[in-house]
Amino acid sequence: PGLFSRWVRVVFRLGPLVRIEGMVRFVLLRTEPYPAIYVSPIQISPRSPPVPISAPGDFAADLADRLGPMKTSGWPEDTFAANDGVIDDVLLYRDIRDTYLANERVLLDRLDNSGAALTAMVFTATDRMAHMFFRYRDTQHPAHDPERIAGFVSRTGIHDPILESYRWMDTTIRQVRARLQPNDVLLVVSDHGFHTWRYGVN
């Protein structure tokens, strides 16, 4: 219970001649009083996408062949499952971490192997951590729950998931800097800051 499976290939048949491949991960949420299994959102298979997901077209498949399967959806972290109470904070944290590490592998691979004059990567982990875990910091937040936080800390050893995501970024930036040549320029840019969040207007 509580561990993500490897990526599993799923096939959808649309008539006798058309089939679409995807990938999912599973988590056994509990065994009692009956088994409950979470299935991640379906990711487009990078090896046989029904629509282009990279340019050039074989770029995603090449990455998957060399680096392993990775998420392909536009909002890769399973935050909606967490908001709906399907997965807990520990699973959400692990999902964000897995997604981050896959992105880091891609970035370092491109720096090592592409020979490009410009390489860019967008990391979303710090944003997702702040969205989902600022309630840990804000004791007045309606979703602040000391018992839930204590459970998270006891299972992960992490006291501040937001700060931890910035530690990941520090490690990545250190690895990037080690690959730079003397005349290379590194830009680390944030699109916004963060604060506690109570409500929104749709």
Side-chain angles (χ1 to χ4, degrees):
L3 296 177
F4 282 98
S5 72
R6 292 182 300 240
W7 286 102
V8 177
R9 183 170 148 278
V10 291
V11 178
F12 301 91
R13 299 191 184 281
L14 305 175
L17 302 175
V18 179
R19 47 182 254 152
I20 298 175
E21 289 187 20
M23 307 179 310
V24 295
R25 296 195 305 174
F26 299 93
V27 178
L28 178 62
L29 298 175
R30 64 179 174 274
T31 57
E32 298 294 337
Y34 49 83
I37 297 173
Y38 170 70
V39 182
S40 71
I42 302 164
Q43 306 294 312
I44 294 173
S45 171
R47 292 186 177 93
S48 57
V51 294
I53 61 170
S54 67
D58 60 352
F59 178 67
D62 175 62
L63 284 179
D65 288 342
R66 289 184 304 100
L67 306 178
M70 62 198 70
K71 293 182 178 182
T72 56
S73 62
W75 185 279
E77 298 87 356
D78 291 359
T79 57
F80 293 97
N83 282 335
D84 291 340
V86 177
I87 62 174
D88 65 13
D89 289 350
V90 173
L91 285 175
L92 174 64
Y93 173 86
R94 289 176 181 159
D95 177 68
I96 295 172
R97 173 81 169 146
D98 290 350
T99 305
Y100 179 86
L101 290 174
N103 288 341
E104 182 187 66
R105 283 194 303 275
V106 171
L107 172 61
L108 298 179
D109 173 79
R110 296 294 75 209
L111 291 173
D112 290 340
N113 300 307
S114 73
L118 173 66
T119 301
M121 172 60 81
V122 177
F123 287 97
T124 55
T126 53
D127 176 86
R128 304 307 190 255
M129 286 292 194
H131 272 296
M132 302 306 292
F133 290 100
F134 213 101
R135 59 193 158 84
Y136 279 34
R137 292 181 167 195
D138 181 359
T139 59
Q140 301 306 307
H141 194 282
H144 181 80
D145 183 344
E147 189 174 311
R148 187 173 178 179
I149 295 168
F152 176 87
V153 172
S154 70
R155 290 172 60 196
T156 64
I158 304 297
H159 291 269
D160 187 339
I162 298 171
L163 182 58
E164 191 67 16
S165 69
Y166 281 91
R167 289 187 179 114
W168 304 343
M169 286 300 318
D170 286 346
T171 300
T172 302
I173 292 169
R174 190 164 38 253
Q175 294 179 80
V176 168
R177 290 186 65 193
R179 288 163 165 81
L180 297 181
Q181 299 302 313
N183 292 328
D184 289 343
V185 176
L186 172 64
L187 299 176
V188 180
V189 181
S190 173
D191 62 335
H192 60 76
F194 234 97
H195 201 269
T196 191
W197 186 68
R198 292 289 198 283
Y199 56 87
V201 177
N202 189 340

